[in-house]
Amino acid sequence: MKTNMKKLPFIISAALLSAASLTLNAAKPQAAGEPAIEFAQTSHDFGTIAEKGGPVKHEFIFTNTGDAPLMVLTASASCGCTRPEYPKKPIAPGKSGKIKVTYLPEGRPGEFTKTVTVKTNAKAKNQKKVTLKIKGFVNPAK
């Protein structure tokens, strides 16, 4: 009986340490995945368009190739003649989204090249900020 009594504090200590260890491990958050963005293309050539033909549009399709939700934080154009639209809701892993870019050719005859800078929550340096490019030639109105 004396031998068992001597072991009792050791057994209680071991049980408490085991319980504490399990509690601490359960409280640790799981490592979160990371979002990643991949565009089908990052440039578009409108070719020759008419100055009075109205706005032209192109959709840049992208996919979240990561394993966490992807957020497009902003999409900003290099000038006021270019208007980007982007999804405001998270894009689930494996799902696709689009950046719709509209160019306004009126009053802008000649060659053009414009950019749209897309900022995301992706972790990879080359995916935090992606530059999309549109170009073409505006035929002057007669």
Side-chain angles (χ1 to χ4, degrees):
M1 185 84 165
K2 271 186 174 181
T3 308
N4 286 344
M5 291 302 274
K6 288 181 183 179
K7 291 181 183 176
L8 189 58
F10 175 74
I11 293 171
I12 291 173
S13 296
L16 288 174
L17 284 173
S18 294
S21 175
L22 287 173
T23 303
L24 287 174
N25 285 336
K28 286 182 185 175
Q30 292 289 330
E34 293 183 3
I37 190 167
E38 185 176 312
F39 279 90
Q41 66 182 96
T42 56
S43 65
H44 177 73
D45 187 345
F46 285 108
T48 301
I49 58 176
E51 182 179 0
K52 296 287 185 181
V56 291
K57 301 173 187 205
H58 180 72
E59 292 180 348
F60 290 94
I61 306 298
F62 65 87
T63 302
N64 178 0
T65 57
D67 54 6
L70 173 74
M71 286 293 301
V72 176
L73 305 173
T74 62
S76 53
S78 58
C79 89
C81 60
T82 306
R83 296 187 181 150
E85 295 176 44
Y86 61 95
K88 308 296 190 272
K89 293 183 180 180
I91 306 298
K95 299 296 180 183
S96 294
K98 61 186 170 190
I99 307 293
K100 186 163 114 179
V101 179
T102 303
Y103 177 72
L104 310 169
E106 191 168 352
R108 297 175 180 88
E111 192 174 330
F112 69 92
T113 300
K114 304 297 176 188
T115 60
V116 172
T117 302
V118 178
K119 292 183 181 178
T120 74
N121 68 331
K123 302 296 183 213
K125 193 170 193 168
N126 65 338
Q127 295 179 2
K128 283 181 181 269
K129 185 166 65 170
V130 178
T131 302
L132 306 175
K133 183 172 82 171
I134 60 169
K135 66 180 185 172
F137 183 82
V138 178
N139 240 354
K142 295 181 178 161

